Amino acid sequence: NTGKERKQNLTLGEYLTIAAINRCVAPCSKSKLKRWFEKDWLSTKYDVDTKILNAQTYWNHFQYLDKKILAKIELELGRVVIDKYDLDLDSLFYDPTNFFTFANGSEESKLLQFGHSKENRNGCRLVNYMLLCARESGIPLMHETYAGNVQDANKFKKVPQRISKRLLALNLKLEQITLVFDKGNHSKDAFIAIDKSGLGFIASRRNSTHKDLLSVPREAFTKTVLPTTNKAVEYFKTTGKIYGKERLLYVVLDPKKQKKHVIKFGEKLEKKVGGINVYFKDRLNLKMWSKKEAVEKKLKSMVGRRPFTDVIIVELSGTDGNMTLCVSIDKKARKAHEETLGRTILFTNREDWTPESVIWGYREQYIVEHAFRNMKSPTAIAVRPMYHRTDRSIRAHVFLCVVALLLLSLLRLKLARKSVPTSYDELLSELRSIHALKILTSPKSKPLWKLETIPETASKLVRALNLKSLLAS
């Protein structure tokens, strides 16, 4: 019950359904929704005056959608999806992100705030939101919209309790579920909550917190191959006390990743050393660079922080006005640093899982990262640009985008289970190439519907989804 009592035109659920489908296929502002709807197949399913599909009507309806109502709707959707699709929910992937807006902000909105933009748009007000996605097709089971100035780890302190509460409401057993998240969400409070809940977890650690593990010799690692991808990796298994408890730790070495990082590090070294030599080639001992103290300060700035301070050797000899500069690389220090590259540190409470399952379980976090990428796509879902200014409208907008992601995820899941795997981009591209023709044989006769010539690549979708049956309904 959203609190809406008057029944006018469409129900609130129907308004939301139309807007969510629009975000799947041709996202536009609410003022342009009428034009899109009139030309879309969806208009044959709703006998309504399209004038009601306007920005003001949606703004009016969004006012019924507060945080509690949205959570209730999302919970009911989750129950239906889990029951109907028999989802694999042994691993769930959590991650937060934000999107920038061009709003000026107001006293009405606590969500629109300046913060750290993950798209490097710190000059714009941001809105944060988080997703909890299932493994299969990245189906979203939970989301939350919050202020753009809230730091990830601070937000995550209370997230495990909320996730546990939602999962229990979905009649799921917490001890059978593993929560996967990255190192940006850590806090002592969060892990106390996870330990109390009985949830399993796999998370990463910052390399700087385990410097001793970065120097573990290569011969101590065990070679293995990851499931699904058959990718070769190496791991070192140990334990360590983290957030008050002894945890299982894995140092994972990806040889290909290490090779890429070594090349990149070498390029940065050459750039720094070359930059220093070029800069002081014609400046040393002249004007302001005749003072040794000034040159030393500049050199320190140009070398930067570790690991470059450990690897780049700067020798400045002589006195003011009569200095010589020699810049070289410490080969031993360089090799020691390069051996630490390509290493990821994971920790978990899943002691009964194989190392391969833990490593691959963490790497599957790309699922929620892809969900964010698809939500920010300008051609489908398009969580931004956003033209709302009040918190209820902003939350409703993000919720619509999450529902759109849910619809597309379920469509991909349905196709995958019929041996027609496809990406979001491929799915939408093929569906957009399928058109229905309305044929009127006479002014009073019932119209006939027929599919236009279907491209060969789209024919699999037509058969798998039985789209021709829609023409007869």
Side-chain angles (χ1 to χ4, degrees):
N1 182 10
T2 61
K4 181 181 177 182
E5 297 178 357
R6 296 175 63 193
K7 294 185 178 179
Q8 305 162 297
N9 304 312
L10 300 171
T11 65
L12 177 55
E14 288 172 325
Y15 274 110
L16 294 178
T17 300
I18 291 172
I21 292 174
N22 165 259
R23 303 217 76 81
C24 287
V25 294
C28 64
S29 65
K30 302 301 180 291
S31 60
K32 296 179 180 178
L33 206 58
K34 171 181 175 292
R35 188 189 313 168
W36 163 80
F37 182 80
E38 289 173 338
K39 295 181 180 180
D40 194 84
W41 168 258
L42 192 63
S43 62
T44 66
K45 301 302 175 184
Y46 290 96
D47 184 19
V48 297
D49 183 350
T50 55
K51 291 180 180 178
I52 65 173
L53 299 176
N54 59 66
Q56 184 61 51
T57 303
Y58 269 92
W59 188 89
N60 293 339
H61 282 80
F62 280 173
Q63 304 317 301
Y64 294 104
L65 300 172
D66 60 19
K67 288 175 66 174
K68 290 183 179 179
I69 292 295
L70 289 175
K72 185 177 179 181
I73 296 172
E74 189 174 63
L75 174 60
E76 293 303 319
L77 279 174
R79 285 171 174 163
V80 171
V81 169
I82 290 171
D83 180 61
K84 184 174 181 179
Y85 291 91
D86 189 27
L87 298 179
D88 174 10
L89 298 174
D90 64 338
S91 292
L92 299 177
F93 304 90
Y94 167 88
D95 207 16
T97 191
N98 54 45
F99 62 93
F100 63 87
T101 73
F102 298 110
N104 293 324
S106 67
E107 294 181 358
E108 295 177 298
S109 177
K110 294 180 180 179
L111 296 177
L112 291 166
Q113 300 292 336
F114 290 108
H116 175 65
S117 171
K118 300 192 177 182
E119 299 167 281
N120 296 317
R121 297 297 293 267
N122 293 329
C124 300
R125 291 182 185 272
L126 311 174
V127 174
N128 278 325
Y129 69 101
M130 66 83 163
L131 283 180
L132 183 70
C133 294
R135 170 184 282 124
E136 290 188 284
S137 294
I139 292 170
L141 293 177
M142 180 179 176
H143 90 291
E144 190 173 330
T145 308
Y146 55 100
N149 60 350
V150 176
Q151 195 262 345
D152 291 349
N154 192 38
K155 175 65 180 177
F156 193 65
K157 289 179 180 179
K158 296 182 179 179
V159 166
Q161 298 100 309
R162 292 175 184 171
I163 290 176
S164 298
K165 186 177 179 181
R166 174 64 61 86
L167 297 179
L168 289 172
L170 292 170
N171 298 317
L172 301 174
K173 295 180 180 179
L174 299 185
E175 63 274 10
Q176 296 178 359
I177 296 172
T178 300
L179 186 62
V180 183
F181 51 94
D182 67 22
K183 53 185 171 287
N185 300 297
H186 290 194
S187 72
K188 185 177 180 180
D189 293 341
F191 280 94
I192 289 174
I194 290 173
D195 291 335
K196 284 183 178 179
S197 71
L199 279 168
F201 76 85
I202 304 172
S204 59
R205 291 281 285 169
R206 296 188 188 280
N207 286 4
S208 58
T209 60
H210 296 278
K211 292 179 181 178
D212 57 322
L213 296 179
L214 296 179
S215 57
V216 173
R218 185 79 173 263
E219 50 269 24
F221 284 70
T222 302
K223 293 182 179 181
T224 189
V225 175
L226 296 181
T228 307
T229 62
N230 291 323
K231 186 171 185 177
V233 297
E234 301 171 25
Y235 69 87
F236 174 75
K237 184 178 178 180
T238 185
T239 59
K241 195 168 186 179
I242 303 173
Y243 295 113
K245 291 190 72 173
E246 199 71 17
R247 316 280 188 181
L248 191 61
L249 277 160
Y250 287 95
V251 184
V252 184
L253 173 61
D254 185 332
K256 288 186 177 180
K257 184 179 178 182
Q258 184 185 47
K259 189 175 181 180
K260 289 180 181 178
H261 282 307
V262 167
I263 292 172
K264 193 173 181 179
F265 179 64
E267 290 172 349
K268 287 182 178 179
L269 271 180
E270 286 183 21
K271 187 177 180 180
K272 279 186 175 288
V273 172
I276 293 171
N277 285 326
V278 169
Y279 189 84
F280 282 107
K281 182 180 179 181
D282 300 318
R283 288 186 174 91
L284 195 62
N285 298 313
L286 298 176
K287 297 183 180 180
M288 66 177 293
W289 303 118
S290 62
K291 297 292 184 181
K292 192 171 184 178
E293 184 180 353
V295 174
E296 288 174 339
K297 186 176 180 180
K298 181 63 177 178
L299 287 170
K300 185 177 180 181
S301 170
M302 294 182 78
V303 171
R305 296 180 292 179
R306 299 183 66 184
F308 299 107
T309 53
D310 298 332
V311 177
I312 299 175
I313 301 172
V314 178
E315 296 175 301
L316 183 65
S317 57
T319 58
D320 289 356
N322 187 30
M323 293 173 282
T324 57
L325 175 64
C326 179
V327 184
S328 60
I329 293 175
D330 186 328
K331 292 182 179 180
K332 187 177 179 180
R334 177 179 180 174
K335 185 178 179 181
H337 174 70
E338 288 177 344
E339 287 178 351
T340 70
L341 299 176
R343 298 190 184 197
T344 303
I345 300 174
L346 308 179
F347 70 117
T348 180
N349 60 357
R350 288 304 193 198
E351 297 181 5
D352 55 329
W353 283 28
T354 64
E356 294 79 8
S357 297
V358 172
I359 297 167
W360 177 241
Y362 179 76
R363 292 196 173 194
E364 282 188 299
Q365 200 179 23
Y366 74 85
I367 290 170
V368 67
E369 293 168 354
H370 284 190
F372 287 140
R373 184 188 67 188
N374 290 309
M375 286 186 71
K376 293 178 182 181
S377 167
T379 56
I381 304 182
V383 71
R384 54 168 169 73
M386 182 191 69
Y387 301 100
H388 301 290
R389 298 293 182 271
T390 64
D391 284 356
R392 287 203 179 193
S393 292
I394 292 170
R395 286 195 173 93
H397 168 77
V398 176
F399 176 70
L400 281 176
C401 293
V402 173
V403 173
L405 176 67
L406 174 65
L407 295 175
L408 288 174
S409 301
L410 290 174
L411 192 55
R412 286 184 65 227
L413 176 63
K414 189 173 182 178
L415 289 168
R417 288 180 176 180
K418 292 189 176 185
S419 301
V420 187
T422 181
S423 67
Y424 284 97
D425 291 339
E426 290 171 346
L427 173 61
L428 291 170
S429 176
E430 299 301 346
L431 287 178
R432 285 170 182 148
S433 69
I434 303 170
H435 301 118
L437 292 175
K438 183 179 181 181
I439 304 171
L440 295 173
T441 56
S442 68
K444 294 183 179 180
S445 63
K446 186 178 180 180
L448 300 176
W449 290 92
K450 184 179 180 181
L451 288 180
E452 279 186 354
T453 303
I454 304 166
E456 181 62 31
T457 52
S459 59
K460 287 184 180 180
L461 299 187
V462 174
R463 290 193 296 271
L465 300 173
N466 194 20
L467 295 182
K468 288 185 178 180
S469 66
L470 295 175
L471 300 177
S473 61

